[in-house]
Amino acid sequence: MSAGARVTRVRGFYGVVDLRPELALEHVRGHGHGLEQSGIEGVLAAHVGKVDGPAHGTERERERLLVRGMELARQLLGGGAGVVQLRMKRSPVRVFLDVAAAVQPIVHAAGALFIVNDRLDVALAVGADGVHLGQDDLPLDAARSAAAGQLLIGISTHSPAQAAFAARGGADYLGFGPVYATSTKEDPDPVQGIDGLLAAVSAVSAATAGMGSGAPPIVAIGGITPELAREVAAAGAAAACVISAVNSAPDVTAAARRVAAAFGRRIGAP
Ligand code: TZP
Ligand code: MG
């Protein structure tokens, strides 16, 4: 499938498997998971290479992150996520790689797109559909040449001007926010509000008016709840990225389904 065809699937609910070591640990304890219950042994055998003498604690933590990552991916997909991003801000790259290798086939089996946050090398290594880069990550041009056409490149933007610039530079899709206040991101940029989102939609459309590729989809992010998802959809966002209000919901799948429904997405449709 071409990159153009794939990017049209950035719509509806854009889910994030956001793994932090302490949260994964709490979750596994709270739910009394046995590793055997989750099928983790097969995954470890299939995907995880030998590590040079890991400490016992590191190995256990990796197993927990694998269990939690696969479980959360399945729940987000069950709720109709068309895109699943893996975000692991505080783990060694080898652990990130192992979780990405385990989550990728789950996302692809559901017909959704798999995006890796921050790390282009991990995205390429596991055959992801794309990489998501922030303003301080690899610049778009460098990422484009390193990816050699193999990855969609999404760029985080935090103002209408940044959004227009990234669109003009050929980003495949844009993250835009925080639209509302968030506590998920450390040191977030200023809240943009619905007015900021409306301004970004217009700025991106004006910036790409003469370009054959058209305007890239805008994924609204930051403090979005299932209730607020309708508001960002009405403002012109193609998708909503909801982290805490879905990932911390008592029923993750049901919360995801409500976000997807705000975009009129049929559950189970690719
Ligand atoms: N970028 C801008 S806001 C944000 C990121 C990664 C976090 C969004 O998380 P939440 O929990 O949906 O507010
Ligand atoms: Mg980043």
Side-chain angles (χ1 to χ4, degrees):
M1 186 186 305
S2 73
R6 278 186 297 171
V7 83
T8 60
R9 290 158 60 196
V10 179
R11 62 193 167 86
F13 173 51
Y14 180 123
V16 178
V17 173
D18 185 24
L19 294 182
R20 280 169 270 174
E22 70 285 5
L23 292 185
L25 176 56
E26 267 167 37
H27 182 86
V28 171
R29 272 201 193 117
H31 289 68
H33 275 285
L35 294 180
E36 62 293 340
Q37 263 173 271
S38 63
I40 192 69
E41 281 157 357
V43 170
L44 286 169
H47 296 290
V48 180
K50 281 202 167 25
V51 172
D52 317 322
H56 182 68
T58 309
E59 187 62 28
R60 298 305 287 177
E61 180 174 293
R62 178 165 64 167
E63 289 172 5
R64 289 185 188 107
L65 290 166
L66 277 159
V67 170
R68 179 66 181 138
M70 292 191 297
E71 177 186 57
L72 196 45
R74 288 193 184 103
Q75 290 170 333
L76 298 175
L77 292 160
V83 185
V84 172
Q85 181 195 112
L86 179 64
R87 181 177 193 258
M88 293 179 69
K89 287 284 182 192
R90 293 213 281 273
S91 294
V93 69
R94 287 179 178 214
V95 177
F96 194 176
L97 181 71
D98 290 344
V99 178
V103 170
Q104 185 261 54
I106 295 172
V107 178
H108 282 169
L113 297 177
F114 181 53
I115 307 284
V116 170
N117 192 40
D118 293 336
R119 297 290 302 233
L120 183 136
D121 50 356
V122 172
L124 287 172
V126 303
D129 298 286
V131 64
H132 188 87
L133 299 172
Q135 293 290 322
D136 296 328
D137 294 325
L138 211 55
L140 181 55
D141 286 350
R144 178 74 65 213
S145 65
Q150 291 180 64
L151 296 174
L152 295 174
I153 301 180
I155 301 287
S156 282
T157 66
H158 311 296
S159 69
Q162 267 181 11
F165 185 78
R168 194 80 209 148
D172 293 299
Y173 75 88
L174 307 173
F176 180 80
V179 177
Y180 309 102
T182 178
S183 51
T184 299
K185 197 171 179 183
E186 288 167 15
D187 197 17
D189 289 87
V191 168
Q192 296 295 302
I194 278 290
D195 288 348
L197 176 58
L198 287 165
V201 170
S202 311
V204 166
S205 151
T208 53
M211 290 168 62
S213 50
I218 296 182
V219 180
I221 184 166
I224 301 171
T225 59
E227 295 72 31
L228 289 168
R230 284 184 198 284
E231 199 168 284
V232 300
C241 178
V242 182
I243 302 184
S244 49
V246 167
N247 293 21
S248 309
D251 185 338
V252 172
T253 303
R257 204 172 272 141
R258 289 172 60 213
V259 179
F263 289 83
R265 189 176 159 75
R266 276 187 303 116
I267 306 304

